[in-house]
Amino acid sequence: MTEPKNTPPQIFHRFFDGWLVELNTNLQQLISAANNHNCDPNDSVLRLLIAQSVTHYEEYYRMKSVAAKGDVISMFSPTWLTSLEDAFLWIAGWRPTTVIHLLYSKSGIQFEASLTNLIIPVFTSDDLGGLSLSQINLVDELQKKTVREERNISEKMATVQESAADKSMVELSNVISEMMRKEGDESHENDGRVESALEPKTDGLEEVLHLADELRMATLKAVIEILTPIQAVHFLIGAAELRLRLHDWGLKRDAESGAS
């Protein structure tokens, strides 16, 4: 029996599969708490579940950081994600403002549901349809701040990407190409020079990835802090459902198209 390999991306792939299983477990607990909230409006229980979910996301980024130190390139071509999920990536993850769009979408859905279910609407803070004006203002400010930070990180990423054609890379590619034309094949004696040239680029990728992941986690936490406990539970339900279903839909599409 072949032993499982332990390269950084392989370790993270196995972690991610288990992480999704745990995400689904957390989702079921959040749904149960939301359904029982009217019968047992105990915020301490909700806060415990919220903290558990936040810790779960933090563990994801902690393990991702460890994997990136071992092989940052693999983080930008993740084999553990589907083609569908790949299409929505921003710097090897979801765009931070996505969670704010998720919040607005979920709020609109629950607001419309309250209009449908009540002859005379009475809005409360029991779900995201009852966001207060002050909460909406806080979310708006968070969105503006996050957009600015996204832009700054995107500019840093552009600088790293453009470095692929800097003087050292162009010069080295020409030298090795000349050698290949003369000798007919690339010699391994240049591997060290190639690695030296690529090292600052991969270091730059790791730095930008770290900034992007920090912003993703900070934005998630900031949204949760704006919400009441029961609203945060509804938000986390929406986030988990979206993540899990996108992965499922991607697996189905990849299977149908024969993608590996």
Side-chain angles (χ1 to χ4, degrees):
M1 180 177 179
T2 304
E3 291 295 323
K5 295 182 179 180
N6 287 308
T7 63
Q10 289 169 327
I11 292 171
F12 188 78
H13 195 156
R14 292 196 295 272
F15 163 79
F16 180 74
D17 289 343
W19 187 86
L20 284 182
V21 172
E22 189 175 344
L23 179 63
N24 187 58
T25 299
N26 290 347
L27 171 60
Q28 302 312 314
Q29 293 174 344
L30 290 165
I31 292 172
S32 177
N35 289 339
N36 295 324
H37 182 63
N38 290 334
C39 301
D40 182 21
N42 187 345
D43 281 356
S44 64
V45 173
L46 300 182
R47 292 181 193 279
L48 182 63
L49 289 174
I50 293 166
Q52 176 179 287
S53 292
V54 170
T55 298
H56 186 236
Y57 284 108
E58 288 176 332
E59 178 66 3
Y60 173 84
Y61 289 113
R62 187 187 72 79
M63 291 296 292
K64 186 178 177 184
S65 178
V66 170
K69 289 184 183 301
D71 183 1
V72 68
I73 300 300
S74 68
M75 297 295 107
F76 288 86
S77 53
T79 57
W80 46 91
L81 296 183
T82 64
S83 300
L84 177 63
E85 292 167 294
D86 282 346
F88 293 103
L89 294 184
W90 172 83
I91 310 184
W94 45 270
R95 184 176 286 273
T97 44
T98 302
V99 299
I100 298 172
H101 288 291
L102 167 64
L103 173 62
Y104 281 137
S105 295
K106 190 76 174 180
S107 175
I109 291 168
Q110 292 185 329
F111 179 82
E112 291 171 4
S114 67
L115 291 176
T116 302
N117 296 334
L118 296 172
I119 297 175
I120 303 176
V122 178
F123 302 114
T124 69
S125 61
D126 284 347
D127 63 28
L128 295 171
L131 290 178
S132 68
L133 179 59
S134 63
Q135 286 178 310
I136 292 172
N137 288 337
L138 287 171
V139 173
D140 183 57
E141 288 302 313
L142 175 62
Q143 183 173 24
K144 292 175 182 176
K145 175 176 177 288
T146 306
V147 167
R148 289 194 299 269
E149 294 184 12
E150 279 183 354
R151 188 177 298 118
N152 290 336
I153 296 173
S154 290
E155 289 173 357
K156 291 180 185 295
M157 185 63 182
T159 299
V160 175
Q161 291 171 325
E162 289 164 1
S163 73
D166 66 14
K167 182 179 177 180
S168 66
M169 293 288 283
V170 173
E171 183 177 32
L172 182 59
S173 66
N174 175 250
V175 169
I176 293 179
S177 295
E178 288 289 347
M179 292 178 64
M180 291 175 66
R181 281 190 284 272
K182 292 177 181 178
E183 301 173 8
D185 195 7
E186 183 177 356
S187 172
H188 290 295
E189 68 185 38
N190 291 305
D191 289 353
R193 294 180 65 186
V194 172
E195 287 304 312
S196 294
L198 290 176
E199 185 176 0
K201 278 68 175 171
T202 56
D203 287 347
L205 288 172
E206 186 179 344
E207 178 186 356
V208 172
L209 176 60
H210 179 68
L211 292 172
D213 284 346
E214 276 193 334
L215 182 58
R216 283 185 262 267
M217 196 67 228
T219 307
L220 180 70
K221 287 182 175 180
V223 167
I224 290 171
E225 288 174 3
I226 292 171
L227 304 175
T228 65
I230 186 59
Q231 288 174 335
V233 165
H234 282 287
F235 167 74
L236 288 167
I237 288 171
E241 288 178 340
L242 183 60
R243 182 64 185 265
L244 290 166
R245 297 296 76 78
L246 270 175
H247 189 68
D248 289 346
W249 299 336
L251 288 173
K252 182 179 180 182
R253 288 174 65 91
D254 285 352
E256 290 173 349
S257 65
S260 59

